[in-house]
Amino acid sequence: MTEALALALPEAVPVRRARVPERLVATVLIAGLCLVLVLILALPLGTLLMKSLEAPGGGFAGLSNFRTYFATPTLVEALVNSLAVAGTTVAIVVPLAFAYAYALTRTAMRFRGVLLALALLPLFAPSLLSGIALTYILGNQGFLRGLLMGQSVYGPIGIVIAECLYAFPHALIILMTALALSDARLYEAAAAMGTGRLRTFATVTLPGARYGLVSAAFVVFTLVVTDFGIPKVIGGQYPVLATDAYRQVVGQQNFPMGAVVGLLMLAPAVLAFAVDRLIRRRQSALLTARSVPYEPKPHPVRDGLSLAYAGLVAGLVVATYGVAVWASFIRYWPYNLGLTLDHYDFAAADSDGWTPYGNSLLMAGAVAVLGTGLVFCGAYLIEKLKVFSAGRALAQLLAMLPLAVPGLVLGLGYVFFFNAPWNPLNVLYGTLALLVINTVAHYYTVAHVTATTALKQIDPEFEAVSASLKVPFWQTFRRVSLPICLPTVLELAVYLFVNAMTTVSAVIFLYGPGTKLAAIAIVHMDEAGATASAAAMASVIMATALCARLALALVNRFVLARAQVWRRREGTA
């Protein structure tokens, strides 16, 4: 490896010049990373907390805002409704996602790749699109409204159904990971002892996946409690925490009470984060060096039933979103089903026309480039540089913080911090730059964990050899770490781009007159009654996100496959 690294850095030893103090540079960079993370994460959340303790007219109010909240029946109703909707969604989504994940990982059914791709479709669309689709299916003019037997979809029924569609792929990914790792020896032992299939499932499969089930339940619960788009589109007059926070801040300008609602939404997310951390500490490794990976054997009946179930669920997901896309081309639902492109003339429904979509592309592109650079470089500083341990520990803590902070709560924190008269950074409020910063902060943790995981797979000997050859860490980063992790870097860029295109909760409070985003335009169009135009804009966002993912697949297939050919050679040597 020493020879390989020396070839990668041929000029490292012969060149003699005054060396920049490498340890000082590393310390300064880590301190700078901590400063950035404090600025975009810690200070906005701290300001949110302080705002909740402030009286409406100014001054310190202590816990009086919280007492006022719990003494107001209409406000408490929103809290109870949110918990009820979230609990119902968890009870529906987790079993459905577990069965789907089981079919994908523990059976030999056909078309598993296609069925997985179809189930993940909601990840590429704004959460509002599922709500818009349900208005065409089960709304007052919906073609299946009779299924509700006189009940209205505009309320808890519609919210739960739409949230199930929105949260399903998130739970599926977690449960697939939990079920993917299993030791075949346990199943062989159960078979040798004559244990029945149901008993094996109850004593081997479920215990191995129990931590994944708990994690999926908490993730779904948090997603539903903090989601703004679906209740806004299809919630009707049914109050929940997310829409209540929006009404307090935007409608009533009651910022202290809006901060209280934000902290209440933060509570389940923090609880979920704490439980997940506890579970990870208690979880033992499912695969050891002696384990035999489980490979499902063909079983016609089981595989056929699994295929039928997965096909039904995937069909419902695709059909629901397909209805919204189809409706965007319908001239006048449901009376004139002729096709038209009139609804894509967004200027007829919103004075900004296509400008919000252009803003979203610009913002998402900036998030992909700047966010990927910050996240990957920050992960390298934390993971690979063994200096300033206190700074690296603080940066790691701050990097994990967004995982426990819902987007709407972070957006509220940005309102109170960046819009404060005393803050010299208030010039950023309402600009595209602040939307970029907020979106990077919102999705920082998942990207950071992904980058750190990739960097952990690189042998520490690279850094040791670089140090022995007097090679600065930035050259090792540029010539070794970055090329090895290039597939991960591109994956991070697409992840940030897609989420920046679809996000609405975190940025609903932060846009200005000239920086409205496409997802926000959907909310305004729907409020104005231009549902078809809202569906059209959501369809454009979904198509853009899918194109980004397809572009990454093509790059991985035809470009990186050649650039990373050394991996296959090493594996076959």
Side-chain angles (χ1 to χ4, degrees):
M1 183 177 293
T2 304
E3 295 178 357
L5 187 56
L7 290 173
L9 303 164
E11 76 279 12
V13 176
V15 177
R16 294 182 178 274
R17 50 185 158 185
R19 296 180 66 239
V20 177
E22 187 176 349
R23 190 178 186 86
L24 175 61
V25 173
T27 302
V28 170
L29 289 176
I30 294 172
L33 176 64
C34 292
L35 180 62
V36 170
L37 294 179
V38 166
L39 182 64
I40 68 176
L41 290 170
L43 290 180
L45 294 176
T47 306
L48 175 67
L49 175 61
M50 296 303 298
K51 182 63 70 172
S52 69
L53 305 176
E54 181 182 300
F60 183 72
L63 298 177
S64 64
N65 291 325
F66 291 88
R67 288 192 292 268
T68 301
Y69 182 91
F70 287 104
T72 307
T74 54
L75 297 178
V76 175
E77 182 186 5
L79 173 61
V80 174
N81 289 345
S82 290
L83 296 178
V85 167
T88 304
T89 304
V90 169
I92 296 172
V93 167
V94 173
L96 291 177
F98 182 83
Y100 202 98
Y102 186 90
L104 291 176
T105 58
R106 297 299 180 88
T107 73
M109 70 175 186
R110 301 170 61 190
F111 311 117
R112 283 178 290 181
V114 174
L115 291 170
L116 173 60
L118 294 178
L120 298 182
L121 180 64
L123 295 177
F124 300 93
S127 63
L128 307 96
L129 188 57
S130 60
I132 293 173
L134 289 181
T135 63
Y136 287 105
I137 300 173
L138 301 172
N140 296 332
Q141 303 296 333
F143 56 90
L144 294 179
R145 63 184 180 277
L147 295 178
L148 296 180
M149 295 180 291
Q151 299 296 317
S152 175
V153 75
Y154 300 102
I157 295 177
I159 294 176
V160 168
I161 297 174
E163 294 288 4
C164 287
L165 291 166
Y166 167 60
F168 181 80
H170 297 273
L172 177 63
I173 292 173
I174 296 172
L175 293 172
M176 281 187 62
T177 303
L179 290 170
L181 299 178
S182 59
D183 192 346
R185 296 177 303 169
L186 298 176
Y187 293 90
E188 292 171 357
M193 296 173 63
T195 307
R197 293 183 181 276
L198 288 179
R199 185 172 178 81
T200 301
F201 177 81
T203 58
V204 179
T205 304
L206 277 182
R210 64 184 182 275
Y211 296 118
L213 286 167
V214 174
S215 294
F218 275 108
V219 166
V220 172
F221 189 89
T222 303
L223 284 173
V224 176
V225 167
T226 60
D227 180 53
F228 170 77
I230 289 174
K232 190 72 174 67
V233 169
I234 205 168
Q237 301 302 314
Y238 189 78
V240 294
L241 282 175
T243 54
D244 198 33
Y246 181 79
R247 186 177 68 253
Q248 294 289 340
V249 173
V250 176
Q252 301 179 13
Q253 298 289 300
N254 190 346
F255 297 126
M257 193 57 66
V260 170
V261 178
L263 290 177
L264 290 175
M265 284 192 291
L266 185 62
V270 172
L271 176 62
F273 179 78
V275 171
D276 186 67
R277 295 296 100 184
L278 179 63
I279 286 174
R280 289 180 184 275
R281 291 180 181 178
R282 297 182 58 183
Q283 186 175 12
S284 58
L286 297 178
L287 285 182
T288 64
R290 298 180 179 180
S291 297
V292 178
Y294 177 77
E295 295 183 3
K297 298 178 180 179
H299 188 284
V301 176
R302 181 201 61 193
D303 296 344
L305 292 175
S306 298
L307 180 60
Y309 168 75
L312 176 62
V313 174
L316 289 175
V317 171
V318 174
T320 302
Y321 284 84
V323 166
V325 176
W326 174 47
S328 70
F329 292 100
I330 297 301
R331 189 171 297 279
Y332 186 58
W333 183 280
Y335 305 105
N336 184 350
L337 299 183
L339 299 181
T340 181
L341 292 175
D342 290 348
H343 302 305
Y344 287 83
D345 179 15
F346 298 124
D350 188 291
S351 59
D352 293 316
W354 280 85
T355 302
Y357 176 72
N359 290 338
S360 286
L361 282 179
L362 185 60
M363 190 270 282
V367 168
V369 175
L370 301 178
T372 301
L374 175 64
V375 169
F376 189 76
C377 292
Y380 183 86
L381 294 175
I382 294 172
E383 180 64 28
K384 292 299 185 180
L385 302 188
K386 305 306 178 184
V387 300
F388 195 16
S389 58
R392 289 190 294 113
L394 175 61
Q396 177 68 13
L397 175 64
L398 293 171
M400 298 304 294
L401 185 60
L403 191 63
V405 180
L408 194 67
V409 177
L410 186 63
L412 284 171
Y414 269 57
V415 171
F416 301 139
F417 178 67
F418 284 98
N419 198 32
W422 50 263
N423 189 349
L425 295 176
N426 60 14
V427 295
L428 292 175
Y429 190 78
T431 65
L432 205 62
L434 186 62
L435 297 177
V436 171
I437 295 170
N438 174 266
T439 306
V440 171
H442 183 198
Y443 297 105
Y444 194 96
T445 298
V446 173
H448 171 77
V449 171
T450 304
T452 302
T453 302
L455 289 168
K456 284 180 181 293
Q457 295 174 355
I458 300 178
D459 197 325
E461 188 177 347
F462 280 107
E463 280 70 31
V465 172
S466 297
S468 67
L469 293 175
K470 307 298 182 183
V471 177
F473 70 85
W474 53 85
Q475 289 196 23
T476 305
F477 171 80
R478 180 172 61 89
R479 292 176 175 266
V480 179
S481 301
L482 184 58
I484 290 177
C485 295
L486 187 57
T488 301
V489 171
L490 294 179
E491 185 71 34
L492 292 180
V494 172
Y495 166 78
L496 292 173
F497 180 88
V498 169
N499 282 283
M501 286 295 301
T502 59
T503 187
V504 61
S505 298
V507 297
I508 190 66
F509 302 112
L510 305 178
Y511 70 95
T515 58
K516 182 194 296 185
L517 301 178
I520 298 172
I522 296 173
V523 175
H524 293 172
M525 291 176 186
D526 183 74
E527 287 178 341
T531 308
S533 296
M537 181 67 83
S539 300
V540 171
I541 293 176
M542 183 170 65
T544 304
L546 289 172
C547 286
R549 175 57 60 178
L550 178 61
L552 176 63
L554 293 176
V555 169
N556 286 335
R557 176 67 178 85
F558 296 107
V559 179
L560 291 185
R562 297 180 180 179
Q564 302 285 317
V565 68
W566 57 272
R567 293 178 182 267
R568 296 196 298 272
R569 290 175 178 172
E570 183 180 85
T572 57

